[in-house]
Every structure is written in structure tokens, then in C-alpha cells.
Amino acid sequence: MFSNALPGVSTRLSDDKTNEEQTSLNEGSIPKIKPEELEAGADEPADDSDSELEENGVTRPQHVTERRRVQNTIFSSWLSQRAEKVTKEEVKAAIQNADDEALSIRSLMSKQESNVIITDPREYQIELFERAKKQNIIAVLDTGLYVCKVFGGCVNLPLGSGKTLIAVLLLRYMLDRELEDRGMGRSPRIAFFLVDCVTLVFQQFAVLECNLDQKIERFCGEMRCDLWDKMTWNKYFKENMVIVCTAEVLYQCLMHSFITISQINLLIFDEAHHAKKNHSYARIIKDFYVAELDPLKRPKIFGMTASPVDAKVDVVQAARELENLLHCQIATTADLSLLRMSISRPEESIVDYDPLPSPYITQLCANIKSQFGDIESLNKLFQFATYATSELGEWCADQIWLFGLADEEADKMERKIDRAFQSEKESRPIEQLDAELSRIREAKALVKEHVFLDPSFSGNSISSKVHCLHQYLMKLFERPTGTKCIVFVKRRYTVRVLRELFKRIGSHNMHLGFLIGTRKDDAGDVKVSFRQQVLTLMKFRKGEINCLFATSIAEEGLDIPDCNTVIRFDLYGTLIQYIQSRGRARHSNSRYLHMVERWNHQHLQAVREVNLGEQVMRRFCEALPADRLLHGNDCSLEEVLSKEKHRRTYTDPNTGAKLTYGSSLTVLAHFVGCLPHNSESTTRATYVMGVQDKQYVCEVLLPQNSPIRSATGRPSSKRALAKRSAAFEACLLLRKHGYLDAHLLPTYHKQLPAMRNAHLALNLKSTNAYVMRVKPSFWETGRGSLPGELHMTILSLENPEMTGRPCQPLALLTRNALPKLPSLLLHFQPGKMSQMQWAVIPKSFKPTKDMLSSLTSFTLRIFKDIFNKLYENNEPAMSYWLAPVVADYRGISLDSTCESLIDSHIVNYVHANEEVKWCSDMPNKSLADRFLVDRWDGGRRFYSEEVDPNLKPQDSLPEGCAKHRYMNSILDYTVSLYRKARLEAIWDLKQPVLRARRILHRRNWLDELDDSEKDVRTLAYLCPEPLKISSLPTTVVAMACLFPAILFRLESHLITLEACTMLQLDIKPSLALEAFTKDSDNTEEHRAKQIHFQRGMGKNYERLEFLGDCFLKMSTSISLFALNPDNDEFTSHVNRMLLICNKNLFDVAVKLGLFEFIRSQGFSRRTWYPEGIKLLEGKGYKKTGNEVHKHRLGDKTIADVCEAVIGAALLSYSDNSDMDMAVKAVTAFVSSPDHAVRKWDDYYKLYKKPGYQLAAASAAQLDLAIQAEREHKYHFNYPRLLRSAFTHPSHAYMYENIPCYQRLEFLGDALLDMACVNFLFYRHPDRDPQWLTEHKVAFQYHTLNSRIPLMSKQMAMVSNKFLGALCVKLGFHKHMRSSGSILMYNVQDFVTEITEAERESDGARDYWTSTKDPPKCLPDIVEAYIGAVFVDSEFNYKEVERFFQAHIQWFFEDMSIYDTFANKHPTTYIHNLLTLDFGCTNYRLMASELPSIDGSPLRVIAVLMIHNEIVAEGTASSTKYAKVAASKNALEQLQGLAPFEYRIRYRCDCSDGEEGDGEQAAATMVALDDRVGSAI
């Protein structure tokens, strides 16, 4: 197949060529040689060509851009049709079918039965709705209808009945009125449905969305809407008619005057009984509703509650206070019998148990108390353990110590003590802290050594109360049943202990679960996330849990239709707790059990009180007159507000934003949170309380970087009021000085990284035409004058016999000394090659005038006779000279004079004789071994062998000769004149006939022969008279024929070395050339079929770029780390990307003019000739002036070359591990003050040790350093630096005044990346970057590699998975300090799995590949540890390498065991299957986002297209996983197919095209990393 590197065609781009024209030139067919060109005669000799195939046409392949354009069109059309099928129902169906564990909280909510359309209201609901239309009311209905309080929030599971229905009916009514008002031109108003918790926002939104036909939206604090401005809010208010939100969201909007109370037409308060004191419900009414004096501008209010009372207070008085505060009337149905008929109430009964003993302490508790009773952190454990002996039994009492002094809990207790110690105003000796921590460890050891017995029903192991509960539950679950039971307790500890107990003594039909709030402050407590709570309720609803131990968090609104048993293990405290917990029993045949201690009058009194309170509340509601007015109540609103009259407020005169005592805390906290801060400062205001004249006075202290440092409030009788007063005064000062704007929002904001959203990537397809240097400036030095001295470089072959004929070394004589260059491999016949050696003679010589004249004649004779170029004899304009070297030069010392090395006999003979004239008396022997040249066709040159005495000039041409236009006779074959000239020519018909060999047109000896150049006929029979017999010996000609390729490589070296000189970099010539070499249009696309491959260019830049990219990342990371100690990890990442992104490298390279030096074109027979001297004859002699050569380069290519140069600079000094030159290269290319160092040692000079590193280490920190040194032999000089490496971001800074590991992890990630790449690069010198990437990824699964796309995140070697396994192997996970039980659970789960995998592996090094992915914190702390070692060792990179060699290298000595791991990724597998197994090149993996439907989750669809046919698709939440899904689906179709079956099914002719008729079946095979990229 003919090379696409067409000499004279693809190597120059004229300025006036369009893109399309250039494409045609580069990829067009080779034109046939016209007859008139063959007969050019002396006027225009036909130039030599680079291949015999110039006589044969080659079909133009399809352009890759054209193919992609077609593919994009097909995909776009398919996508539009496919998107139409993705309906809202599909999205909901997908959510319903999805695993709960994989769903977001929002999706979990929508998955529940909350979308019932309400169509059949009951009588009592219509009655209350009609009353709500006329006036503000609080609808009081019996509970159990819809709310369950969870996590300080609510899980709303409505039935489509009760209070919710009334709210829907009222909203419909108000929306209709609002539309009428808007139609009459009145200002728009919107309705707010207010809830008390985050979860109800989602749930009530789902209910209302299904039942209202107007736009509705929902908001909560978790959406960070507190950071929005008025413009953002106005957009939502304008677009929606109903807003569902937490009350705090509306309060904030009113406070900031984003909306006014007059712009609201309806306020619905869910669970209205919360409206008291400083609750947001109450604040909305007190601060804004009442402040609007015009009743017509106030919104309608509708409150909903099961009971207006939630505390032990006078029921009637509390109800009236609630009425007045909400400016409503309490209302219920006139006929309560209708309500009772609609609501199923459980059968209530009292279960009594034997009297409990007084609290006492167990033996374990006594032992702990005797030794550690003075430790404050253990107080709550002592309290509960004592309480539990009476209420639960001794077994449960002792269990709390297992919980409270477990490893994780003890560590947290230590951190709490440490934190308290650090925060003390007066410092104590650190020995005291060490002693306290030591005692905690001793207490933990005591518990571990204790022998815990199994629970027993005899003695005091289990209390009578627990025994009673056990008996009942065993009966309830004696056989498989659909029973669902909730056991209510008061204490969180009780929940945990009872669950552990019933795991041991319960029925196997019991499926236990627990439900508690998210608060976790005490030792031994469990931290539960909101998501876990939601999942627990989902499992309870499905029956996966059928016995739920719960605190009061589960009382409010849990709607489980088939929950049929509620047990009050601990009795309720208030009426509403009783009513709401009773409401959890919703089944028609349900039970509600009051567990009461026998003869305990307090318990019986509690039962009586709630029953009496309920009766009083019912009678109160029944007695309410229909036309009752508010002002008739004993408690007035004015009385409620009078308590706050002395509290000042501030209202902005321009916006109406209102600051109150209550809101000032929020405003101030928001301001402080927006202040810029460093890693060692807090972002909270500090309140200091004092006493003055028997009243509290508070001072608020703001962070150091606040423009206002402190403010003092007014004296107050209460601490809480004093605190609010201080915050209020601070806010006034901030507003006065302009630090709060007119909406009370901070004008200070966190400084997000500059250009964080900048477009840092380059368009991979963007190309431009740039000037390209084809000649080095080396030749220009001294040109224009006679040389005073010449420097000699001998060009010789290591194995000259490989050429197939004798050859003689040549000397290249230059005005300046050439650098020492690497040998050059030249290719001759198949399997025959030789290194070309450069021997630089150290001594120069001064040529005489005659010698210079002879050398010039010899050099020009070579150009004329061999290359058919006649140049002007102009010695001052010569760039270089050639000379033959004496045959035995190897025996002559190179220190000899240059003159002694030159074969002066040949030079003088050639200078004196232009040619050898043939005459009839010339002996036949003198015609043998001659260099013959066709006088009229410079492309025909021959080596004569001998005279054939049996042939005559007019004989027919023997068979097997090389083709020529005239082949009638031997003489006819010899002459290349025009037809007319041929007729006039007269030749000696008696002249001898020579057997000869035609010299091939080949000039590019830098690559192997392609198929078209093999087995070419060279035999010729010639007559000597018409030919020119050159005076050049054939040995010289044989070597001189190689000179164009040698010179091309020489000039490439010189040009790239000039680029290095420009950059002030000293790089080895071989590496410099490799760094600048782009040998195809898609060099960067590894493993892809190369487009327009340029033969013979040597190694391209791809491996060096791989290395340089990694060093660039490491060096900039170090510099940013050292220069910016206060930057967080995100800022550092952004700043690094600004430095190393392709766009920055490209911009800098363009400014430097680096594009001129890039070698993008292979050998060209048009450009290798010398410049400076005038061409008199030969193709191109009519051209005037210097031609401007251009080449088309992609933007990314230029950026890639920058990285390759960095790699070359690093590799040039790898022998002595000197990285200074690479550092210098990075500085040159990033061009930023963020990296201005010029040698490695300068990095550490930039680093200023932070205060936390220099502070005295505690005993715990010193102990950590000792433990870590056992795991890795490195002694830390700064143990607090090590502590930082093990501190998780969830661990508060104030605990130890040590920042988390993120900055060290940022640094360590880059360092480890470099160590891994170095290992792979040197261990596998012949592997391509794609292989290196796939296997490096095992080292760095989550590294932010600016060049490697998807594959580098998933496949082979030190991945997150490996680093997590390494973390466990080293025991680093034990040292991590974090806050979060879920994280620790996940860590422990992974530790168990990876430990078991290693144990069962029998020494296999790849045991870690079979486990699940670890929690991200584990690989993070390994990288942070590496970063800490690097910093502690004063930036000694050898310590990083030592860590790698000690702990990582062993796993990867044999990389073959990871080949499967590296290639099993579906996208890689499908690529290998298509390309390697089926030989297909016309395929593409494409992806695009699907349109979002009504805020549904993002969905991405990916397809695999083969020969313009979509064969598989996959959908997921991200592009990455959509492509994985599409690849998996494609594999199901393709695996098992035989290659011929594949070709038939998909009409694939890729392989056939390559092997058969010479046509290219496809222009290119797109690289895998590009295929995985988005198509649209």
C-alpha cells in the first residue's frame, strides 16, 4: 500500500489554499505521469520521485471528518426519535423499579404513594373547606392521617384524605380567585404551603403537584437557597403560583424583603401546633403578618394539626394562644361522629409488669467507676448504665459499655478531650492531656477484658419490663405473619440496647429495625443519616422490617396502613405524643398497648391525664360556636406581642428588609460564612457571655478577617436574649458600614478560584496552518562568505554490506561543528538494515582556495549527477560540502588532520572531469561498475555491471527489464529523447551492450520498504553512447544516494535543538527530536490507525508526552502547595488546571513560536536540497525567493509537544536523577508566577512551615508517629504533619487545630502518580502510552490527569481499589480521625472484605482486584501520607520513590497478571473485539444527554454505531456509565460471532479493503479514548 506521505504534495500548504483544497491535496490520488513530462528533454528534466508507484493511481479514501459528519447526522436523527419515547411515565417507572439503596431522597419520596389524585372529599372535609374559604381557621382533626416526624424533619406519607384534602381544596379555590384577580389587572400573589421539616417539602410537593393544575415548586435549606439573591427569587415567584417550603425559607425571604406579606394570598401551616415562642411559624406572624396593618393585604391563613397542644399545659389556654398567634379560629367538624366513622382507632389496653427495683450499678460499672468515675466524658454512660439496671436489666446495662468504649467511640472521646484541651484559654502542661487520654485507653482495655455473659431470663439479667415486652412480642411473632409493630421508647440508648437484645432472644420471624433522630453527641450513640431514616421507613412499609424500635421521632405522622401494633414501652410525656403515637396504628384491627408498672401511680396518672386531656380538647372543639370572633377570647394577640415590644427591629428604608433579634443570628452567621478564610481559621462567630448588674451582657467576636471584629449587646435578663442582642448590634454595624446590603445580604463573599469556570480545554478537532521550519538556522551562520575553517563529520555505515553493493563513507564538512548525534537506522532490502554512524572529528581545518574549489565541484557534481539538480558554483553561498573518505579511515586516528581523511584523489578527479566520454575504442572492462545517467531523463540512473558480448544495440530487449516508455530494442530502451529528436539522432550500432541495474527512485531510507517497493524490476540492458558516464565512483554514489535521508534526519535534529536553545533547555538530541515529532494527523490517538502516517520519522512524541504530562502535574502541584498554604484543595485543583491545561500550554507555545519547530512531515524530495545557492536546472528552478512552508497542526498537538519536551528534559538526566532541567521546562511552558522555579531545590525554598506543623506535638501525636514508623520506615520530624495526613475532612479543625488531609492528598496524588509512571516507563520501554495508561490507572484511579480520558479512571493498576487495599495492609486506616459512623462502618466493611481476600489468595499479588471499591478516604490517606513524608523530608522525592519501592512495586513486578484487569472494562473489551477479532475500523461509541422532563434526574443515552448502523444502546445517569451500558449490550450481540458472520451481518469490508485491491476501507480507526468522548 502506498504511503500517504506524498513527496512534493503533502509537505507544503500554500497560503491561498482553502481547507477543502488542502484536504484534497493531502488525501487525493497520485496523478499519473504525463508523456510530455517523460519527454521533457533538456528544457525541463523530469525530476526524480520517491516511489515507482507514481505510475499507478491510488483511490482516494473517505475522509474521517466526512465519515464523522455522517455518523453525527445519523445519531442526531435517532436521538430525536428516541427522546420522544422517553416519557414522564418511563422516568417514574424506572424509579419504581430501581433499588431503594440507589435512589436519591427525592426519588425515594416520589416512589411512595404520594401522588394520589384527590377526587372524593368526605362531608366533614367539605364542611371545613367551606369554613376555610370564609375565614382563617386551624383544622383540628384526629391524628394518624399523614405525618411522621423524622430527623428533626418529616416523612410525609399521605393517604389523600384528612387535613391534606382540605388544603388541596382550599388551594384550588384560592388559585381560581388569583387567576380572576390577575385577569382584572391586580398584582400577582402566590400561595405558600409551609412545613416544619425538609422531608415534608418533597412529600407535600408530590401531593400538591398531582392535585393542582398550576405551576408549583419546592424549596428547603439543603438546596442552599439562602445564598440566592432577589433576582433569583423573583424568577421563581414569577413562574409559580404555589411554593412548598420550610417555614425558615419563607421567613428568610420576608426578612430580606425578597417578597412581602402582601404578595402572598394564602399561608398554610402544616402541624400548626409548632407555632410558639421563636419557631419560624411564630416569627412569620409576629414580624411580618402583624406588621401589615391593612387586613386586605394580609394573606388567608389555614392551619392543620392533630392537636393544638404539644405540652403539659392547660389545653383550653394553649388552644386560645395558638388561635391568637396564628390569627385563626380552631375548627373541627360539627358532627364528630362523621370523623370517627372515617378514622380507624386502635383498641387500647394496659399491660402491666412487675415492679422494678431501684437503680443500682453492676459489677462492671462499679469497677469502671472506681477507677475512672471522675472522667467527665463517661458521665452519661454511668447515668444510663445505672438507669438500665432498673428499667432493662443488668445485661443491657453492661452492653452500654461495649457501645460507649468501642475502638471508634474511644477514639472520638479522646479527640473530644483533646479538643477541649486545645480550646482552653489558660494553657496546661501537655502531660495532663496525655494522662487523660491514657486513662480513656485504660478504661477501654478494662471493658475489652471483661467477660460478657449471654442474656438470661433468670436473676437480674433482664428486667420484668423487658421480660413482659419479650413475652408479648414472641406471641405476636410466633409464626410468619404480616404483623407490623412499633415499640416507642424515650432514650436513644434504649433503642440500641433493645435491638441488640432481641437479636439474641427474639423470634426468628422478627425482622428488627430502629428509628432515631440524627443527633449524636454522646459516647456509644449511633449516628443516623436522614437517608437511612427514609430507607428504614421504606423497609418497614414493605415488611422487610416488622418490628421497629423507635424514639419520639417516629410519633408524628408515620402512615403505615397495615401497622397494627403500637407498644409504648416508655409512656408518653404529653397529650400530643399520645395522640400521634396512637395514630401510628392504622390497621382496622390494631392495638395500642400502654406498658405500666404494677402499682405505679405515676404511670396510671399519665394514662388518665392523656385520656382526660383528649376529652377536654374534644369538648372544647364541640363547644366552639360557628360565629365565634377572635376578640372574644381571653388571650389577645396584643398580649402575645407585648412581650417583644422592647426588642428593637431594623427595617431598611429602601427595600423593606427587616432585621429582628431572632433573625440577627441567621444574618450574622451567613455573613461570617461568606468571609474568606484559611485552613486554620474558623468560620463561626464566638459569643462571650458576662454578667453586669445582675443582667447578662454578651459580646460577639467575629473572625480575624472580618471588617468588624466585635459588638456588644444590651443587658438582658436571659442569656438567649443577650446573645441575640449582641448579634443584632453586630448586624447594625455591618449594615452601617456597607458590609451588609439593603437586603441584609453580605457584600463580602468567599473568593471562589479565579477562572473556575474558564474554558480550559481545547477543541480536539481545531487545526490551523502554521509556518514550519524546513531548514535549521545552523546553515545560515557564516554563509555569504568563504569559510575560514571547516568541521568534519564522517558518515559511515556500521554494516555497509547490507546495501547490497560496496559503498564509501562520506565526510560532511560544515562551517560550524555539529553536535554529537545518535546513530541513525537505515533500511535497505527487507530484513537488511544498518546503523549510520556520525563521527565528529574534534579538529577543524582551514581549506585552501584550491581545496575549497575542488570540494565545491565534488558536492555540486553529486547534486547534478545523482539528484538531477544543477546549482550555481558559488562557494560563499554553500551551506555544507561533501567529500569521500579514504577507505581505511577506521585505522586512522580521529585526532588526525581532516585533510588526511579525505580521499583527495577522487575529489580532484571529479573536479577535473565532469564525465567519462565513451569512445569506440574504450575497453569493455572500463565500462564495468560505472554510474550511468540518462541525459534526458534525470530519473533514470544505473549501475553498470559488465558488457554482454552476445547482445547488439538493435536486438530486442531481453525479458525481465525495468519498464520504460520505449522498449522496442536495447538502443531504443536506452534513449529518452522526443520522437522527432530520436529520428534525427545517429548512434554507433556497433557499440557494446551493458547489463546494468536501475537505481530506484527511493530517497527515504529511514523506513522499511512497503509492499509496493518490494520486488521491483531493476534489470536493464543499455548502450553506453547515449548515456552520461559520471566521473563519480559507484562506491561514492552508493553512499551519496543515502545522503538525502541522512540530511533530513540531521536537519530535524538541528531544528529541534534550536527550539531547545530558544527555551534555554539542554536536552539530548535524540529526545529533543522525539519530543517534536508528530508522525501522523492523529499521533495522540494511541492504538488508532494513523492518518497520513509519515514514514521514517522515528519515534513520535507520545511516550514523552505521557511522561511529561505526569511531571507537569507533579511540579505544578508542588509549587502551588508551597506557595499557597491557605488554599483549599478545590482552589489548588483549579489553579493547577489553569497552569497545566492544554489551552494554557497552547497559548504559551504559540507566543514562543514553538509550532515552527514541530516535525509533522516526513522526508520530502522537495525540501532536502541546500538553500543559499541558486538552482539553475531541475524542477523548481524557475521559482524566485524563499518559499514559505506551512503545516497544519491541531491545537492539542502543540500543547502535547510542550508536555513531550518536559518529558525529554526529564529523561535527558535520568541517569543521575537530576530533575532541574524538567523543572526549568515546566516554568517555560506554564509561564506563570505560580511556577517560577528553575531547579528542584527551589521548591522547598518557597515553602513556609505553617503554625500547625511547628506546634508542639501531643503524646498522642508522638505515639502516632511511632506507630506509623513501624508501618513504613520513616521517622517524622513533625508528627502534627502526620496527624494532618490522617485527619478526615469530617473531623473539625478545632479539635486539634490541625487541618484535614486534603491539601496533602492533593500533593501526594501527584507525587505517587509520578512514581508509578516512572516505574512503568522504564520497566516497559516499548509499551505505547495507551498500555501505560491502562496499567498506570491501577496506581491512580482518581488522579486528575489532564490528558487521559475515561479509561484512565477505570482499568488497571494502582486504582482506588489498590490504594484502599494498600491502606489496609499498612494499617493506615486505624489512624484515621473522622466524624461519622457511616464512614467508619463502610471502612470496617471494606477492611473485613479485603483482609479475607488476602487471606484466601495464597500469596497472589492481585488479590485486591476481586473486592469492591473502598471508601474514598482510604486511598486518600495513602496519598496524603506520601505528601506528608515529602514535606517532612524537605521535599525529598527519593522518599516518595522509596515508599513506592517498599510497598507498591512488589504488586506489579509482573504486569501480565493485570492485563485482564486492564482490558475487562466493557469499552476496552468492545474496542479490542471489533478491531483485533473482527478487523473492523468503522465503528464509534457516541453519547448525548436526553431531554429532562419536569426536573426528572439527568439521563444520558449512549450508542454503538457500526458501519452507520446503531447496534446497541445504553442509558444511565452519566455519560461514563451510559457508554459502559451500551458496550455491555453490544457485547451480548457480538460475542460468539465468527469474523465472517460479523462481516456479513454488518456489511463490514474493512479487512477486505486492506488486504485486497489497494483501496483503504476507512480513513482511520478513531482512538479509543476519543471514541469514548461525547459525540455531540
Side-chain angles (χ1 to χ4, degrees), residues 1199-1427:
D1200 287 347
V1201 167
C1202 296
E1203 295 175 331
V1205 172
I1206 296 171
L1210 178 65
L1211 211 56
S1212 293
Y1213 298 88
S1214 60
D1215 294 342
N1216 55 5
S1217 301
D1218 186 351
M1219 294 188 279
D1220 288 353
M1221 195 60 62
V1223 171
K1224 195 174 179 181
V1226 171
T1227 297
F1229 286 123
V1230 300
S1231 185
S1232 169
D1234 282 336
H1235 190 286
V1237 297
R1238 300 184 67 80
K1239 57 183 180 179
W1240 183 268
D1241 292 343
D1242 290 344
Y1243 286 129
Y1244 188 66
K1245 295 177 183 177
L1246 299 176
Y1247 181 65
K1248 183 179 179 181
K1249 298 183 184 71
Y1252 85 87
Q1253 180 179 340
L1254 296 172
S1258 66
Q1261 293 158 1
L1262 292 170
D1263 181 66
L1264 171 65
I1266 293 172
Q1267 293 185 56
E1269 190 171 354
R1270 296 192 195 106
E1271 293 148 4
H1272 173 64
K1273 298 299 181 183
Y1274 178 81
H1275 176 74
F1276 268 86
N1277 301 304
Y1278 300 98
R1280 288 172 65 85
L1281 193 65
L1282 178 62
R1283 170 69 81 200
S1284 179
F1286 290 127
T1287 301
H1288 190 267
S1290 65
H1291 192 70
Y1293 170 78
M1294 66 175 62
Y1295 290 175
E1296 296 182 90
N1297 292 334
I1298 293 177
C1300 72
Y1301 61 56
Q1302 288 181 325
R1303 289 191 74 248
L1304 290 172
E1305 182 256 336
F1306 166 80
L1307 177 64
D1309 166 73
L1311 293 165
L1312 179 59
D1313 201 22
M1314 191 71 234
C1316 300
V1317 167
N1318 268 336
F1319 170 76
L1320 288 173
F1321 195 90
Y1322 292 109
R1323 181 62 66 93
H1324 306 280
D1326 299 325
R1327 291 290 190 176
D1328 63 76
Q1330 188 68 43
W1331 186 93
L1332 294 174
T1333 296
E1334 290 173 354
H1335 291 73
K1336 180 201 77 168
V1337 189
F1339 288 124
Q1340 293 291 4
Y1341 174 89
H1342 66 300
T1343 180
L1344 289 176
N1345 192 315
S1346 63
R1347 183 180 64 84
I1348 304 301
L1350 174 66
M1351 270 199 298
S1352 67
K1353 310 295 180 191
Q1354 303 251 345
M1355 293 182 197
M1357 199 172 144
V1358 183
S1359 57
N1360 266 2
K1361 186 179 288 188
F1362 170 74
L1363 292 179
L1366 179 64
C1367 180
V1368 175
K1369 188 172 184 66
L1370 293 174
F1372 283 177
H1373 65 287
K1374 300 175 184 177
H1375 308 313
M1376 185 177 70
R1377 297 220 163 172
S1378 65
S1379 299
S1381 57
I1382 298 176
L1383 175 65
M1384 297 311 297
Y1385 172 80
N1386 292 336
V1387 168
Q1388 189 56 47
D1389 187 43
F1390 178 77
V1391 170
T1392 302
E1393 182 177 351
I1394 195 68
T1395 304
E1396 183 68 15
E1398 182 179 14
R1399 187 182 65 80
E1400 295 178 353
S1401 67
D1402 195 25
R1405 304 187 186 197
D1406 61 344
Y1407 68 87
W1408 55 271
T1409 61
S1410 61
T1411 65
K1412 65 183 180 183
D1413 290 337
K1416 187 177 180 297
C1417 60
L1418 297 183
D1420 282 353
I1421 61 178
V1422 172
E1423 293 173 332
Y1425 175 84
I1426 293 171

Side-chain angles (χ1 to χ4, degrees), residues 1145-1175:
L1145 298 178
F1146 169 76
D1147 291 340
V1148 173
V1150 169
K1151 289 180 183 177
L1152 293 172
L1154 206 68
F1155 49 78
E1156 293 186 34
F1157 304 95
I1158 295 176
R1159 306 292 85 203
S1160 67
Q1161 297 175 2
F1163 173 81
S1164 170
R1165 60 195 180 103
R1166 304 297 184 196
T1167 59
W1168 74 270
Y1169 296 105
E1171 290 183 332
I1173 51 178
K1174 183 178 181 181
L1175 179 63

Side-chain angles (χ1 to χ4, degrees), residues 116 118 129 162-175 193 204 207-212 268 302 304:
V116 178
I118 301 172
F129 161 59
K163 301 179 289 291
T164 306
L165 171 56
I166 304 171
V168 170
L169 295 175
L170 183 59
L171 276 167
R172 289 175 180 171
Y173 167 75
M174 294 300 296
L175 291 176
F193 192 115
Q204 297 290 32
V207 176
L208 298 183
E209 187 182 33
C210 287
N211 290 281
L212 299 177
I268 299 177
F302 177 64
M304 303 185 296

Side-chain angles (χ1 to χ4, degrees), residues 982-1033:
R982 294 170 69 84
L983 295 174
E984 295 175 353
I986 301 175
W987 308 106
D988 188 345
L989 299 180
K990 296 182 180 180
Q991 62 183 302
V993 172
L994 300 174
R995 187 177 72 246
R997 293 290 172 178
R998 183 174 177 178
I999 301 175
L1000 295 178
H1001 294 168
R1002 187 181 180 198
R1003 294 287 173 266
N1004 187 4
W1005 304 90
L1006 299 173
D1007 195 17
E1008 296 179 358
L1009 294 172
D1010 61 25
D1011 293 339
S1012 63
E1013 295 175 314
K1014 297 175 182 177
D1015 302 323
V1016 177
R1017 296 178 181 180
T1018 60
L1019 180 64
Y1021 287 90
L1022 307 169
C1023 298
E1025 184 182 10
L1027 301 175
K1028 175 183 178 180
I1029 304 175
S1030 175
S1031 57
L1032 292 170

Side-chain angles (χ1 to χ4, degrees), residues 986-1180:
I986 301 175
W987 308 106
D988 188 345
L989 299 180
K990 296 182 180 180
Q991 62 183 302
V993 172
L994 300 174
R995 187 177 72 246
R997 293 290 172 178
R998 183 174 177 178
I999 301 175
L1000 295 178
H1001 294 168
R1002 187 181 180 198
R1003 294 287 173 266
N1004 187 4
W1005 304 90
L1006 299 173
D1007 195 17
E1008 296 179 358
L1009 294 172
D1010 61 25
D1011 293 339
S1012 63
E1013 295 175 314
K1014 297 175 182 177
D1015 302 323
V1016 177
R1017 296 178 181 180
T1018 60
L1019 180 64
Y1021 287 90
L1022 307 169
C1023 298
E1025 184 182 10
L1027 301 175
K1028 175 183 178 180
I1029 304 175
S1030 175
S1031 57
L1032 292 170
T1034 56
T1035 54
V1036 171
V1037 173
M1039 191 66 188
C1041 284
L1042 308 178
F1043 181 68
I1046 297 171
L1047 185 67
F1048 170 77
R1049 181 59 56 84
L1050 169 64
E1051 292 182 333
S1052 296
H1053 276 300
L1054 294 176
I1055 290 171
T1056 54
L1057 287 174
E1058 287 171 6
C1060 296
T1061 301
M1062 177 189 71
L1063 297 169
Q1064 300 181 15
L1065 300 175
D1066 186 7
I1067 297 177
K1068 291 181 179 180
S1070 59
L1071 296 172
L1073 178 58
E1074 184 178 341
F1076 281 91
T1077 297
K1078 174 183 173 65
D1079 57 7
S1080 67
D1081 287 357
N1082 59 333
T1083 296
E1084 68 281 356
E1085 296 180 354
H1086 316 303
R1087 290 189 187 166
K1089 179 175 290 185
Q1090 293 175 301
I1091 305 172
H1092 302 149
F1093 175 66
Q1094 305 289 306
R1095 298 173 58 206
M1097 295 188 70
K1099 295 180 179 179
N1100 61 31
Y1101 63 67
E1102 57 178 6
R1103 270 180 60 91
L1104 289 178
E1105 183 231 346
F1106 176 78
L1107 183 65
D1109 172 83
C1110 188
F1111 187 86
L1112 174 63
K1113 173 186 171 182
M1114 179 185 71
S1115 57
T1116 51
S1117 299
I1118 296 172
S1119 181
L1120 289 169
F1121 179 89
L1123 282 172
N1124 305 287
D1126 294 332
N1127 281 358
D1128 57 27
E1129 183 193 24
F1130 175 71
T1131 304
S1132 298
H1133 273 301
V1134 173
N1135 289 342
R1136 184 174 69 190
M1137 286 307 301
L1138 290 171
L1139 295 179
I1140 71 175
C1141 67
N1142 285 331
K1143 188 174 188 306
N1144 183 50
L1145 298 178
F1146 169 76
D1147 291 340
V1148 173
V1150 169
K1151 289 180 183 177
L1152 293 172
L1154 206 68
F1155 49 78
E1156 293 186 34
F1157 304 95
I1158 295 176
R1159 306 292 85 203
S1160 67
Q1161 297 175 2
F1163 173 81
S1164 170
R1165 60 195 180 103
R1166 304 297 184 196
T1167 59
W1168 74 270
Y1169 296 105
E1171 290 183 332
I1173 51 178
K1174 183 178 181 181
L1175 179 63
L1176 302 178
E1177 290 181 8
K1179 194 168 185 178

